Amino acid sequence: MNALPPQPVPLPLPVPDPRARDVVFDYAGMHAAVAGLVLPGNASMHVMSALETSRELIRHSYYRYEFATVAVTHSLLAVEHVLAERLAVEAPLQDLIERAAGAGLITAELAAGLDRGRLLRDKLTQGAVTSAAVGPARAVKLVRAVFDAVSLLLRPPAAAAAKAAGRSGAQPEDRLARLWEEHRRAPFPESFRGVDIAGVELILLDADVAAVLQRELDGGLDTQGIAVLWACIADLDTIVPLINEEYCASYVTRLRTMAGLAAARHIPAAT
C-alpha cells in the first residue's frame, strides 16, 4: 500500500520586531521611510549592489532591528570604493573623507555624515557597541549621506565641484568665503563650551581658526599665520574623529574644510 506524500507545512510568517514599532505603524511604512534612497544610475554593479542591499536591510529592519545598523556599515563599502576611485588613492576611509572634503568634492555636512557612519563601523569592530546601535530612522539618515555622496562623486568633475560648492562654477576662494559667512552665522555648540578633547579645548581652537581665516580673507597670512593655521589643522585632525554629537561634528568638520581651503592657497604649485 502506497502512503500519501506528507502535506507541506506552511512556513511561519515573519514577526515584526517590537523595537521597530515606534518607527512606523506597519511594514508598508518602511517603504515610505526608504523612498528617498534612490540608486544612482551611473554607478558600477559593485556600488549599486552595496547601496541596494543597504536600502533593503533598512526596509527589513521592521522584522529584525539589527539590520538597520548592518545597513549603515554595509553602505560604507560603496562610498569607500567610489572615494578611492575618484581620488585615485588607497587610504583608510577617514583619510578619504577628509581628502574629498578638503578638495571640495563633497560638502562639509556630507563629510560629517559619512564620518558618523565610519565611527559606528569602528565601534562595532572594537566591540564598543552592538548591532542594535542605531534604529531604522537613524540608519536612513546615515545611509542617505552615503547615497548623496556617491551621487555627487559620480557626477562629471566640473559639475560635482560646482554642486559641492553650492553654486555653479564656484572657485575655491569663493567657497572659502561662502563657508566662512555660513560659519559666522552658526552658533557654537553650547554643550562643548569649555570641553577639552584629546588635550584640545574646542572653543579656543575655534577662535584660533576663526582668527587666521579672517586674516587670510582680509589679505593673506604671513609666515607666522601659516604656521598657526597648520597647527590648527593638526588639532582638528585629532579631534574630528572623536566627536559623536551630530551638530558639533558638522561644526568642526566645516572648520577643518575651511582650514584646508586656506592652507591650499599657501602650498607651492608643482614645477
Side-chain angles (χ1 to χ4, degrees), residues 145-216:
V146 172
F147 271 70
D148 290 348
V150 168
S151 296
L152 188 59
L153 290 163
L154 290 177
R155 294 173 185 264
K163 179 72 173 179
R167 62 179 71 179
S168 177
Q171 298 299 312
E173 292 80 3
D174 298 330
R175 184 165 184 255
L176 176 58
R178 179 183 62 81
L179 284 174
W180 174 238
E181 287 305 314
E182 177 184 319
H183 190 76
R184 291 178 61 186
R185 294 192 298 268
F188 184 86
E190 282 298 323
S191 59
F192 284 80
R193 192 174 296 276
V195 172
D196 181 297
I197 303 174
V200 178
E201 189 162 349
L202 187 54
I203 195 167
L204 295 181
L205 178 59
D206 181 45
D208 288 344
V209 175
V212 293
L213 289 176
Q214 188 66 69
R215 286 162 57 193
E216 173 65 22

Side-chain angles (χ1 to χ4, degrees), residues 59-82:
R59 194 194 307 271
H60 293 292
S61 64
Y62 179 77
Y63 296 110
R64 182 66 183 182
Y65 192 81
E66 283 79 1
F67 286 177
T69 299
V70 179
V72 177
T73 60
H74 192 77
S75 71
L76 297 178
L77 296 173
V79 75
E80 191 163 13
H81 177 83
V82 173

Side-chain angles (χ1 to χ4, degrees), residues 19-33 59 62 136:
R19 293 171 292 179
R21 289 176 181 171
D22 293 337
V23 181
V24 294
F25 179 72
D26 54 18
Y27 180 62
M30 296 302 297
H31 304 323
R59 194 194 307 271
Y62 179 77

